Amino acid sequence: MAVVFAVARAGAAEPKPIVVEVNSSYHLRLGQNISRVSVGAGDVADVAAFPPDQVLVTGKRIGQTSVTVWFRNDEVQIYMIRVEHPIRHINDALVRAIPDGKDLRVQPAGNNVILTGLVPTVADIEHAEQIVKGYATAEGAQIVNLLNVAGDNQVQLEVSFAEVSRSALKEVGLNFWARDQGTQWTGGLLNPGSTPSGIIPALQQPNATDNLNLAGGMPIITSPLGATFGAVFSTAAGSKFPFSAALSVLSQRGYARTLSEPTLVALSGQTATFLAGGEFPVPMPQALGTVGVDYKKFGVQLSFTPTVVGQTIQLKMAATVSDIDFSLGLRLASVTVPGLTSRYSDTTVRLKDGESFAIAGLLSDKVRSSVDKVPGLGDLPVLGMLFRSTSYRREETELLVVVTAHLVRAQGDRPAVPGEDTLSDPSDLELFLLGTIESKEGRDPSRPKKKPSGKVGFAR
């Protein structure tokens, strides 16, 4: 194994050290008869003398030591020995493994090695480091990786979150109460969720002049279903059939749409994050009766790590869309903490420049229907609707997440900024007479910006 070395002589300049690779040997002929040799650190290198004038140096571990040689003419020479990693073999392995790399080079730095050069992709950086680790077997050896990736390796990710939610609700319920003219009997039919609290106080007052009895008329009973349209009927005291009835009806349709399109740029191999939403406080009970505050994020959250591999872009990304929902909350430390309704995806995909991919989709269709009825009477045709309460609810949700990746470069021109064409506040005429809340003027890039009047800033 070829190495470069120099031998020290009395009165000569300081020689270069004898360099030998770890776990390798080198034969050296000194040209004088050797009496004996002594090594400073035997765990770094081993030196064996072969008279009359030959020695064999064997590297044992990374480091540096000295060897003292006594000759038969009473001359003494000291040689420095440096044991290094197999740099030449590492460089050859890197060239074979990454033929498209440029200026790939490994340099020793004490117990460590420095890796420099250009590689085509980010994946080659990891491959080169693994190759060097296979050769740099010294205990505690570290690799200082200074490799760079050639070419454009900034990735712009465009993500589209599209969600449509539809809901439909239908509810019907009836409360009925009646009595005879002489108040000899009274009775009715109430829905399961209703209470007779609005009826009983009036029934306990037989006096026709009492206000609670509504001058002998029927008490007005409450609607059987809450948050519905209610129709209330009540007859006067002199009617042939005094009764009071409350009908609840509701037909409800809901529609909600969410569209968010965040755009984010990151260097290949680096992680970028994005949040369009906010944080809400959550009290956290702690020791000694104290209460701390923690914050939970909600909204559109995006995190992605791009890796450029040749002509493709490998994306590892996580996307979350969450909304505050008090129906999922709880009460903690006398504070109502809301819950979160979340849609989350975490995946790794590979795209080409400009391609799009649907990474997540959801189609949810929930139907809930319930009927509360009087046995037998609720099954009668037509008249059965008076003896039953019906509820029908349907919820439909569609969600789609689409990503588009581009290889991008920084541009010289400054892009337009939203709202930068608002140049001045509206005048009194525009504000009070015309209702204009802001004056806008088209931005002319060729027009120089107006300089402020008066002294501003600092002048040198």
Side-chain angles (χ1 to χ4, degrees):
M1 189 172 297
V3 292
V4 179
F5 68 94
V7 180
R9 294 292 182 185
E14 183 179 352
K16 295 182 180 179
I18 299 173
V19 180
V20 60
E21 296 177 353
V22 65
N23 298 326
S24 299
S25 299
Y26 184 72
H27 174 262
L28 180 64
R29 186 183 296 273
L30 301 179
Q32 298 186 61
N33 293 334
I34 299 173
S35 173
R36 62 189 180 94
V37 297
S38 177
V39 181
D43 59 336
V44 174
D46 180 58
V47 179
F50 295 90
D53 61 349
Q54 302 178 49
V55 294
L56 184 65
V57 181
T58 302
K60 300 174 68 175
R61 70 173 180 85
I62 305 300
Q64 184 171 305
T65 185
S66 62
V67 57
T68 305
V69 181
W70 286 267
F71 298 97
R72 292 188 182 277
N73 59 359
D74 295 332
E75 183 181 350
V76 179
Q77 294 291 339
I78 299 177
Y79 303 89
M80 300 303 298
I81 299 176
R82 189 171 68 231
V83 182
E84 296 181 347
H85 296 284
I87 301 300
R88 182 172 58 87
H89 294 280
I90 298 177
N91 287 326
D92 292 342
L94 288 175
V95 172
R96 291 194 302 268
I98 310 175
D100 296 331
K102 296 181 180 180
D103 301 326
L104 294 180
R105 186 179 179 186
V106 176
Q107 300 176 3
N111 193 38
N112 305 324
V113 293
I114 301 176
L115 180 58
T116 59
L118 295 176
V119 292
T121 67
V122 176
D124 292 331
I125 295 180
E126 184 177 355
H127 296 161
E129 188 169 330
Q130 294 295 329
I131 293 173
V132 176
K133 285 182 179 179
Y135 285 92
T137 58
E139 182 178 356
Q142 296 183 358
I143 300 173
V144 181
N145 196 335
L146 302 181
L147 289 176
N148 292 317
V149 181
D152 298 328
N153 290 281
Q154 292 188 111
V155 178
Q156 175 179 290
L157 187 66
E158 300 174 359
V159 184
S160 298
F161 298 89
E163 181 179 11
V164 176
S165 177
R166 305 178 184 88
S167 62
L169 174 66
K170 295 181 180 180
E171 291 181 330
V172 176
L174 177 68
N175 281 347
F176 181 81
W177 199 265
R179 68 181 180 185
D180 70 337
Q181 293 183 353
T183 67
Q184 297 180 0
W185 63 268
T186 180
L189 182 66
L190 300 179
N191 270 261
S194 302
T195 61
S197 60
I199 303 174
I200 293 178
L203 297 178
Q204 292 176 347
Q205 301 293 336
N207 188 355
T209 60
D210 195 286
N211 290 332
L212 293 176
N213 203 23
L214 299 179
M218 289 296 298
I220 299 176
I221 60 177
T222 58
S223 299
L225 302 176
T228 59
F229 294 97
V232 180
F233 306 92
S234 182
T235 59
S239 62
K240 296 182 179 179
F241 182 63
F243 76 93
S244 179
L247 176 66
S248 294
V249 292
L250 178 65
S251 178
Q252 183 185 75
R253 289 184 178 275
Y255 176 81
R257 185 183 71 173
T258 301
L259 177 61
S260 180
E261 295 182 330
T263 300
L264 209 57
V265 178
L267 188 65
S268 178
Q270 303 298 317
T271 300
T273 58
F274 176 89
L275 170 64
E279 298 181 346
F280 62 91
V282 178
M284 304 294 292
Q286 298 178 352
L288 303 177
T290 61
V291 178
V293 178
D294 189 17
Y295 288 87
K296 299 295 183 182
K297 296 179 180 180
F298 70 93
V300 178
Q301 303 177 57
L302 176 65
S303 174
F304 82 102
T305 304
T307 303
V308 180
V309 182
Q311 300 299 320
T312 62
I313 305 171
Q314 181 172 300
L315 288 175
K316 178 176 178 56
M317 64 171 297
T320 303
V321 181
S322 57
D323 298 316
I324 294 179
D325 189 349
F326 281 91
S327 65
L328 302 177
L330 55 86
R331 193 166 184 81
L332 181 64
S334 302
V335 177
T336 300
V337 180
L340 289 176
T341 301
S342 301
R343 283 77 72 196
Y344 176 78
S345 65
D346 187 353
T347 184
T348 301
V349 296
R350 180 169 291 185
L351 307 171
K352 291 184 178 180
D353 184 16
E355 288 186 340
S356 299
F357 211 109
I359 66 166
L362 171 67
L363 178 60
S364 176
D365 193 353
K366 300 179 181 179
V367 177
R368 293 188 295 272
S369 179
S370 64
V371 177
D372 299 324
K373 60 184 178 180
V374 178
L377 297 178
D379 297 326
L380 295 176
V382 183
L383 293 179
M385 64 172 296
L386 302 177
F387 303 97
R388 61 176 178 259
S389 176
T390 305
S391 176
Y392 176 86
R393 181 186 297 269
R394 181 172 184 174
E395 298 177 356
E396 184 180 279
T397 302
E398 298 180 34
L399 173 66
L400 186 64
V401 181
V402 181
V403 299
T404 304
H406 298 278
L407 290 173
V408 295
R409 295 184 181 181
Q411 60 179 6
D413 297 333
R414 174 181 175 271
V417 178
E420 67 178 352
D421 56 350
T422 301
L423 300 180
S424 62
D425 295 331
S427 64
D428 293 342
L429 177 64
E430 292 175 326
L431 179 63
F432 297 111
L433 186 61
L434 302 179
T436 303
I437 61 175
E438 58 182 358
S439 294
K440 293 185 177 182
E441 183 178 345
R443 180 174 180 268
D444 186 2
S446 62
R447 183 186 60 200
K449 294 183 178 179
K450 296 180 179 179
K451 295 184 179 181
S453 60
K455 296 182 178 181
V456 295
F458 298 92
R460 293 183 179 179

